[in-house]
Amino acid sequence: MSTTDGVLVRVKEVDKVFRRGSEEIHVLTGLNLEVKAGEFLALMGPSGSGKSTLLNLIGGLDRATRGTVEIGGDRVDQMSDHALSGWRARHIGLVFQFYNLLPVLTAERNVELPLLLTHLSKAERRKHVEVALGMVGLSHRTRHYPRQMSGGEQQRVGIARAIVTDPTILLCDEPTGDLDRKSGDEILALLQALSRDHGKTIVMVTHDPHASARASRTVYLNKGQLFSENPG
Amino acid sequence: MKFLYLVWRNLTRRKLRTTLTILSILVAFVLYGFMGAIREALSGGVSVAGADRLVVRHKVSIIQMLPITYQQRIERIPGVTLSSHQSWFGGIYQDPKNFFASMPVEPERFLSIYNEFTLPEAQRKAWLANRTGAIVGRATLDRFGWKVGDRISLKSPIWQHPNNDDTWQFDLVGVYDALKKGSDTSGFFFRYDYFDEGRAYAKGMVGWYVVRIQNPDRAAEVAKAIDAEFENSPYETKTEPEGAFAQGWAQQIGDMGKITTSILTAVFFTILLVAGNTMAQSVRERTEEIGVLKAMGFSNRLVLGVVLAESFSIAGLGGFVGLGFVWALVSVWNPVPSMLPVFYIPNHDLVVGFILVLVLGFLAGIFPASQAMRLRIAEALRRQA
Ligand SMILES: Nc1ncnc2c1ncn2[C@@H]1O[C@H](COP(=O)(O)OP(=O)(O)OP(=O)(O)O)[C@@H](O)[C@H]1O
Ligand SMILES: [Mg+2]
């Protein structure tokens, strides 16, 4: 992935407007953001300020109303839907608040899902899954179903699934939002290690100052704009 | 192929629901098969009727008889090559519900007009040699477990035998088969000379004539000539193609058949709608999961494929097993052999059934699948939060 001056994510003058009937909701207005490769960025802000919306724009899950979104030189805002899904498969790892594992699949099958989109052989996929589950410390639970695991363990499976394809950037939307303090800390330590030891670029949405303290930088979203200090 | 496991796990996610859905589709296609067989049974005589055969009957009604002397006059009419008469005997074997058609005929003419029936040469000779001889179709032979050589007694509510009240004795000398699938092989045929000599009244009168003509294209013309021949006689005739004749005959039970098939059709489509809705519902329940797959990079086409594979599996499992089962069932079992002598599922109904299974799989899958495909990922993921 080509980066100039080490900037991986470049969001420029982005507006995002939602329409609910005749009503227009301006969620993001002229927003600018740059994230350097290898950075662990925490994104904070009040509920409804548009944190998930911004994360979706970076991950190519939604489109900006105006402005440009560039990831590693790729203009995400200009890609077709079809091109975007291929691009996501290669470059984006997603971690959700509610884990969003498929309940019918075991941990290893869940982690294998994104690899099904690659050309890897069955044996290679198995190897990758093993490594990813090992990195999150779940080598002993590969055959368990999500309902047989605690929230913290499910989230670790979620992280293994997000990193198994070795994506360019990891996007986490309140990854500890549904966990108790201890499990949450374990997840944060894991993300921190991924950033520090493996050079992963991470953007993490959180409400928790304790969580943002683990990040290398924190930005605050309020009234459609980003601030480097907490404005509230 | 690597996605099949995902399809499989989705199918087995709620085993009871999947099983019931498959079973209901199976039942629907069993009904469908029966429907096809019943419809064929009611019109079967018509579709296998010879195009080169006309039936000459009394102008007023089939019940009224015609003189035997008409035979020669019919055969003199240009375009007619052969004629053979039949009469309604109404024979009862042991019990009235054991119904099958029984008729006195002239063996040689009968066999040559109905050349779709095959009778072994030795049995043909035996029939010609034995005045009390009778032949029966394979279906009725099997139905009662008769054997060639058996002595069969039939009672006729119409024809009294002067010697022994209303019971007629026959020697079973042969069994005929049909060359063409769908031909009725339930009939029982015996010799007219034995019948005419034995009956107490109406000697020299026959039920109707079956006439073979040279050129089916000229059927209307020949029919007109026959009816003209007997115009203004005491026994005026009505001549029509055998198909039309059989159809009129079938009309009597046909109405009941129509009611049966329309009820079955309604039931069939109701079951399909319910099953289709259940299948669609089970996909709709997974909106967020599909959203996650798409977020991960599953393309719209892939999501469509995975969902369709699932609905095709359910429809195929229920539908094809159902069709196969009813096909096998119908070939060994007939619910009312007396009324439905010809009972099988016509090939075109099987083909249509096959297509219906595919259509069901497609329609039940395409709506939720295209919904899933169009689903905006951000929306799908928001549903849970
Ligand atoms: N698809 C949509 N249609 C209409 N409005 C939307 C849509 N998605 C988001 N919004 C609105 O945009 C605003 C920002 O939503 P978003 O989910 O990004 O907030 P958030 O900062 O992630 O909040 P939270 O902390 O509660 O997760 C909210 O007012 C929300 O109601
Ligand atoms: Mg949010």
Side-chain angles (χ1 to χ4, degrees), chain A residues 40 187-200 202:
Chain A
F40 182 0
I187 294 298
L188 290 167
L190 189 56
L191 291 175
Q192 208 172 15
L194 285 170
S195 159
R196 191 186 55 224
D197 305 338
H198 299 274
K200 282 271 152 251
I202 302 175

Side-chain angles (χ1 to χ4, degrees), chain B residues 7 24 34 40 43 56 59 70 77 79 86 89 97 126 130 142 164 173 208 225 254 276 369:
Chain B
V7 174
S24 62
F34 267 114
E40 181 68 8
S43 65
V56 184
K59 189 175 185 176
Y70 275 21
I77 289 167
Q86 304 180 355
F89 183 67
K97 75 171 194 289
N130 188 344
D142 290 345
N164 27 353
V173 296
W208 62 89

Side-chain angles (χ1 to χ4, degrees), chain B residues 145-158:
Chain B
W146 293 344
K147 300 179 304 292
V148 170
D150 283 358
R151 174 150 270 244
I152 310 292
S153 314
L154 298 185
K155 284 186 185 186
S156 171
I158 314 168

Side-chain angles (χ1 to χ4, degrees), chain B residues 30-43:
Chain B
V30 168
L31 282 183
Y32 170 86
F34 267 114
M35 212 156 67
I38 291 173
R39 202 169 347 93
E40 181 68 8
L42 296 180
S43 65

Side-chain angles (χ1 to χ4, degrees), chain A:
Chain A
M1 197 136 251
S2 70
T3 60
T4 47
D5 52 42
V7 176
L8 185 64
V9 177
R10 208 188 294 272
V11 177
K12 260 198 214 149
E13 293 298 320
V14 156
D15 287 2
K16 179 66 186 177
V17 181
F18 287 110
R19 277 196 186 77
R20 218 181 268 143
S22 57
E23 186 191 4
E24 283 195 344
I25 307 161
H26 294 258
V27 178
L28 307 177
T29 49
L31 183 137
N32 292 294
L33 171 68
E34 288 188 349
V35 184
K36 291 205 170 64
E39 225 181 338
F40 182 0
L41 182 77
L43 178 58
M44 296 189 77
S47 186
S49 57
K51 303 181 295 294
S52 298
T53 302
L54 177 57
L55 210 62
N56 286 343
L57 295 182
I58 297 172
L61 301 175
D62 203 352
R63 291 177 182 282
T65 312
R66 196 176 66 85
T68 62
V69 179
E70 193 179 313
I71 316 282
D74 292 333
R75 280 289 295 274
V76 176
D77 53 298
Q78 290 180 332
M79 289 185 206
S80 70
D81 280 355
H82 191 73
L84 258 185
S85 59
W87 178 84
R88 277 198 304 274
R90 268 172 282 125
H91 296 299
I92 301 293
L94 291 164
V95 178
F96 307 94
Q97 179 177 358
F98 298 103
Y99 335 126
N100 286 83
L101 303 177
L102 297 206
V104 292
L105 299 182
T106 58
E108 58 181 2
R109 291 283 190 173
N110 264 292
V111 175
E112 190 192 14
L113 275 177
L115 293 176
L116 296 180
L117 301 170
T118 66
H119 294 295
L120 296 180
S121 71
K122 199 179 166 112
E124 289 168 322
R125 293 202 299 269
R126 182 167 305 239
K127 192 77 211 139
H128 279 73
V129 168
E130 243 171 59
V131 170
L133 280 170
M135 281 172 77
V136 299
L138 280 181
S139 298
H140 57 300
R141 317 254 358 216
T142 53
R143 298 288 162 86
H144 287 77
Y145 287 93
R147 63 171 183 284
Q148 299 168 323
M149 290 186 278
S150 72
E153 285 165 336
Q154 289 187 56
Q155 191 59 298
R156 282 194 270 161
V157 176
I159 292 172
R161 180 179 66 182
I163 60 174
V164 73
T165 53
D166 193 21
T168 309
I169 182 165
L170 207 55
L171 302 176
C172 314
D173 198 343
E174 300 186 44
T176 59
D178 197 47
L179 298 176
D180 60 36
R181 167 57 43 94
K182 184 170 165 294
S183 315
D185 276 345
E186 285 167 11
I187 294 298
L188 290 167
L190 189 56
L191 291 175
Q192 208 172 15
L194 285 170
S195 159
R196 191 186 55 224
D197 305 338
H198 299 274
K200 282 271 152 251
T201 309
I202 302 175
V203 177
M204 173 180 75
V205 168
T206 185
H207 279 292
D208 183 3
H210 190 77
S212 62
R214 301 265 195 164
S216 52
R217 177 161 72 105
T218 302
V219 290
Y220 301 87
L221 185 58
N222 200 2
K223 303 210 166 70
Q225 308 268 333
L226 274 181
F227 302 88
S228 54
E229 305 270 303
N230 189 347

